[in-house]
């Protein structure tokens, strides 16, 4: 169409972000270290409406987040650590938009900053006795208690906050190097994410007093299991040519807080050939790069989903398809040493 003459809206929006942090570390001996720190955040959003100044608004989100940690060197190749720390996350700019059609001012009054406390313990070790392989691994357990978890509604048109949520899980990381350029790696995350205190009434339009208690439901949008695996070989005599096979897996999850819209898990295989040293040299410039075939098996899968999606004839408009088999080519030109 063409530009009209009717003024629909005229407004200005912005944000200021101020952060101050400090940290101190103390080594009690050559094996035991403790650390302490804190951060102050002050984020202010403002919205000015030049059509109706009565809708002008300004909100500040302020919080202090402390952190304590300790590390114990069990041996020359292993260490044990523990930490506890707070966190604050303010709503993003689009999340501060008010509910469509409401008489609210320019900034969503339903939101508070996300506040969390995380407890974590972990262990790291390098194993060089497994000749001819060198292996290192780390494992961690965590528990994050979250207040005011931000939840989108109507396909992300507006947001509100859940009372409390709990995220618990375990993470495992592994890297390995072997003879003749063999290498491998793994990253595995298992998590248990639940709403602890979450009662909603705003979604029941036209039913005053109605409410839904989603306490105990799974946190939407978060798979319980995520896995990344890779294995390959590097041929040093051929421009450090590297051939790598990668596997990415994401488990199933729900796209809504009522846990009525399931999203199936998926596994994607990628293959990469990379020249880590220049394969072409001219005029003092070297050319290197890589070629990746993503989704090698050409699997059909759902890569992401809208959370708390809209419905069309009772069907959720949630699903975004993943890419079919595709080719990624990258080159880097840089001066030769």
């Amino acid at each position: 169409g063409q530009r009209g003459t009717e003024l629909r809206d005229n407004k200005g929006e912005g944000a200021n972000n101020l952060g101050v942090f400090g940290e101190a570390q103390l080594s009690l001996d050559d094996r035991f270290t403790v650390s302490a720190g804190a951060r102050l955040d002050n984020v202010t959003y403002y919205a000015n409406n030049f059509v109706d100044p009565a809708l002008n608004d300004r909100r500040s989100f302020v919080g202090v987040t402390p952190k304590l940690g300790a590390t114990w060197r069990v041996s020359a190749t292993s260490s044990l650590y523990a930490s506890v720390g707070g966190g604050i996350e303010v709503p993003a700019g689009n999340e501060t938009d008010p509910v469509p059609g409401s008489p609210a001012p320019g900034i969503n009054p339903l939101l508070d900053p996300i506040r969390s406390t995380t407890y974590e313990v972990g262990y790291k070790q390098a194993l060089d006795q497994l000749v001819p392989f060198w292996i290192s691994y780390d494992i961690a357990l965590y528990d994050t208690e979250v207040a005011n978890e931000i939840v989108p509604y109507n396909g992300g048109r507006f947001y509100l906050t859940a009372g409390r949520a709990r995220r618990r899980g375990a993470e495992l990381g592994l890297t390995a190097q072997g003879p003749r350029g063999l290498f491998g790696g793994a990253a595995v995350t298992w998590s248990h994410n639940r709403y602890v205190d979450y009662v909603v009434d705003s979604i029941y339009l036209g039913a005053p007093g109605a409410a839904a208690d989603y306490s105990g439901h799974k946190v939407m949008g978060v798979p319980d299991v995520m896995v990344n695996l890779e294995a390959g070989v590097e041929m040093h005599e051929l421009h450090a040519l590297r051939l790598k096979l990668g596997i990415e897996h994401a488990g199933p999850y729900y796209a809504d807080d009522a846990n009525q819209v399931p999203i199936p898990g998926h596994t994607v295989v990628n293959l990469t050939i990379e020249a880590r040293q220049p394969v072409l040299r001219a005029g003092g410039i070297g050319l290197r790069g890589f070629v990746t075939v993503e989704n090698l098996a050409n699997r059909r899968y759902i890569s992401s989903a809208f959370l708390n999606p809209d419905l069309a004839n009772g069907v959720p408009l949630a699903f975004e398809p993943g890419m079919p088999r595709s080719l990624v080519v990258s080159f880097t030109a840089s001066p030769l040493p």
Side-chain angles (χ1 to χ4, degrees):
Q2 296 183 0
R3 189 172 185 175
T5 59
E6 178 186 356
L7 179 63
R8 300 289 184 90
D9 207 348
N10 184 6
K11 61 183 180 180
E13 300 174 322
N16 297 320
N17 187 353
L18 173 66
V20 180
F21 68 92
E23 184 174 1
Q25 190 175 83
L26 174 64
S27 297
L28 302 181
D29 54 33
D30 59 351
R31 303 185 68 178
F32 194 76
T33 303
V34 294
S35 62
R39 176 184 175 95
L40 168 67
D41 286 285
N42 186 335
V43 180
T44 299
Y45 286 105
Y46 59 87
N48 296 322
N49 192 306
F50 302 109
V51 177
D52 185 0
L55 297 178
N56 291 353
D57 201 6
R58 183 185 183 93
R59 282 194 73 186
S60 293
F61 302 92
V62 183
V64 177
T65 55
K67 182 177 182 180
L68 296 172
T71 302
W72 176 40
R73 283 188 61 193
V74 181
S75 68
T77 59
S78 62
S79 61
L80 179 68
Y81 69 90
S83 67
V84 56
I88 181 171
E89 180 182 349
V90 301
N94 65 304
E95 295 171 349
T96 63
D97 290 338
V99 177
S102 73
I107 297 176
N108 189 344
L110 300 176
L111 296 188
D112 292 306
I114 305 172
R115 300 182 184 274
S116 64
T117 303
T118 298
Y119 308 88
E120 182 176 357
V121 294
Y123 182 75
K124 301 179 181 181
Q125 185 172 24
L127 302 173
D128 53 5
Q129 301 91 349
L130 301 179
V131 178
F133 283 90
W134 177 88
I135 296 176
S136 68
Y137 70 92
D138 61 87
I139 185 169
L141 304 176
Y142 68 89
D143 177 12
T144 301
E145 304 293 325
V146 184
N148 302 324
E149 174 120 353
I150 292 181
V151 181
Y153 272 89
N154 288 135
R157 291 185 184 87
F158 74 96
Y159 296 75
L160 53 80
T161 54
R164 291 189 300 125
R166 177 176 295 124
R167 300 172 181 265
R168 292 175 172 172
E171 297 178 338
L172 171 66
L174 175 71
T175 59
Q177 295 179 351
R180 299 181 181 180
L182 293 174
F183 67 90
V188 181
T189 300
W190 174 85
S191 60
H192 183 271
N193 310 292
R194 294 291 186 274
Y195 295 113
V196 177
D197 180 12
Y198 183 22
V199 178
V200 185
D201 59 8
S202 61
I203 61 172
Y204 290 88
L205 303 178
D213 189 347
Y214 294 147
S215 303
H217 284 210
K218 287 187 175 184
V219 173
M220 61 181 177
V222 185
D224 288 342
V225 178
M226 296 191 69
V227 180
N228 283 274
L229 305 174
E230 68 174 25
V233 59
E234 184 172 324
M235 294 162 277
H236 301 286
E237 66 280 4
L238 296 176
H239 307 284
L241 191 68
R242 172 176 283 202
L243 180 65
K244 180 176 70 175
L245 185 71
I247 299 175
E248 302 174 3
H249 171 76
Y253 61 92
Y254 288 104
D256 63 329
D257 47 15
N259 291 175
Q260 297 295 315
V261 184
I263 306 298
H266 66 270
T267 301
V268 177
V269 178
N270 306 316
L271 180 64
T272 299
I273 300 176
E274 179 185 7
R276 308 187 76 189
Q277 295 180 359
V279 293
L280 295 176
R281 303 167 184 261
I285 301 295
L287 188 67
R288 55 188 173 85
F290 68 86
V291 176
T292 297
V293 181
E294 297 185 341
N295 193 3
L296 185 64
N298 202 27
R299 294 284 303 274
R300 301 179 68 179
Y301 67 98
I302 296 173
S303 65
S304 62
F306 286 97
L307 301 182
N308 276 335
D310 291 333
L311 299 177
N313 298 322
V315 178
L317 303 176
F319 312 109
E320 295 184 312
M323 285 286 290
R325 183 188 297 120
S326 56
L327 186 68
V328 179
V329 181
S330 174
F331 293 104
T332 299
S334 58
L336 294 172

